[in-house]
Amino acid sequence: MNSRHLFLMGGSPPFGQRFGRMFTELACGADGKIAILFLEREGWEVYMNKYTSALIPNGARNFCYLPLSPDPAVSFLQELMSCSGIIIGGGETENYRRYIVDSETGEWIRRMYMNGIPVAGFSAGALVILEHCIIPPIDTPKRQHLFLRGLGLIRDCAISVHFTKWNERENLRAAAGKVSAATGYGIDDDAGIYFHNEIKADNEGSIHIYKNET
């Protein structure tokens, strides 16, 4: 079985210096092609520089910008399948979940991840990656704590993004207990966690770990 690589980032891009280097190397550097999945909105072209700025100095040259939709075209999926690294952007978490988890896009991300393609998620992109996509009240229009089906690339843990900025300590504790997750990870802005074969192997920046004893 191929080694699997997952980066969960707690805020907006870019990667930190070390994780930017790691992701680029895992995505095959100058010989690779990195997909950036995002929700299309005005000015998105300029914003893509935030994702690429920590990768280009490490040799990344080829990027594929893929705006998400609930019914992806064949050409979209073909482009995605040709990539050697996947980045899921940040924004409206419920829409990211709907356009990825509830569509064929999610199926291909799962297959590619299992085949060793590194996957990174920023903020909303990180939340949709887990077995349980847990969206805190501050991140929903109706201010509800949502517990939805996620991609399932990693199990038995819960995460909170923008942890300190959003004051997510109690929400993380409640979420980990509700889904019976062994561990809750609070990830601050400008921080991230790297998982190798679904086991936490490294982190960059400030993270907070909560062990569910129940």
Side-chain angles (χ1 to χ4, degrees):
M1 181 180 289
N2 292 297
S3 290
R4 299 173 301 284
H5 310 279
L6 190 62
F7 295 79
L8 302 181
M9 312 302 296
S12 302
F15 285 97
Q17 184 176 8
R18 187 157 49 85
F19 275 12
R21 182 175 65 252
M22 288 173 61
F23 186 86
T24 304
E25 291 173 353
L26 291 167
C28 304
D31 296 325
K33 180 166 71 169
I34 297 171
I36 301 176
L37 308 183
F38 64 98
L39 295 179
E40 191 169 6
R41 57 188 177 186
E42 187 176 353
W44 70 264
E45 296 94 339
V46 175
Y47 193 75
M48 291 300 106
N49 292 333
K50 291 182 177 292
Y51 293 105
T52 62
S53 64
L55 307 179
I56 291 172
N58 293 293
R61 294 290 180 268
N62 197 0
F63 300 96
C64 182
Y65 305 108
L66 297 175
L68 291 161
S69 69
D71 187 19
V74 171
S75 58
F76 174 101
L77 296 173
Q78 288 174 337
E79 283 284 359
L80 176 62
M81 286 183 276
S82 71
C83 292
S84 56
I86 299 171
I87 294 172
I88 305 173
E92 299 172 352
T93 306
E94 290 180 72
N95 282 336
Y96 269 100
R97 199 208 73 85
R98 182 157 59 94
Y99 293 171
I100 293 176
V101 178
D102 291 341
S103 81
E104 198 173 352
T105 301
E107 289 296 324
W108 279 107
I109 292 174
R110 276 189 285 267
R111 293 181 195 180
M112 293 171 71
Y113 171 73
M114 294 303 294
N115 285 326
I117 302 298
V119 175
F122 285 87
S123 187
L127 292 176
V128 305
I129 281 173
L130 278 69
E131 177 184 16
H132 301 282
C133 177
I134 302 168
I135 310 176
I138 195 173
D139 195 25
T140 65
K142 295 182 179 180
R143 295 297 186 259
Q144 297 172 319
H145 207 169
L146 299 181
F147 294 81
L148 306 171
R149 181 172 63 92
L151 269 176
L153 302 191
I154 187 168
R155 303 175 187 274
D156 201 28
C157 69
I159 67 167
S160 289
V161 296
H162 306 289
F163 182 76
T164 297
K165 183 169 75 175
W166 285 358
N167 192 25
E168 282 291 287
R169 184 174 300 278
E170 291 307 315
N171 281 336
L172 178 59
R173 283 178 174 271
K178 185 176 178 65
V179 301
S180 300
T183 308
Y185 296 103
I187 313 174
D188 279 344
D189 291 73
D190 302 319
I193 305 174
Y194 165 62
F195 294 85
H196 180 235
N197 295 339
E198 295 78 62
I199 297 172
K200 180 183 176 296
D202 199 359
N203 63 270
E204 186 171 26
S206 180
I207 66 166
H208 311 263
I209 300 176
Y210 166 70
K211 292 293 184 181
N212 188 358
E213 304 296 340
T214 59

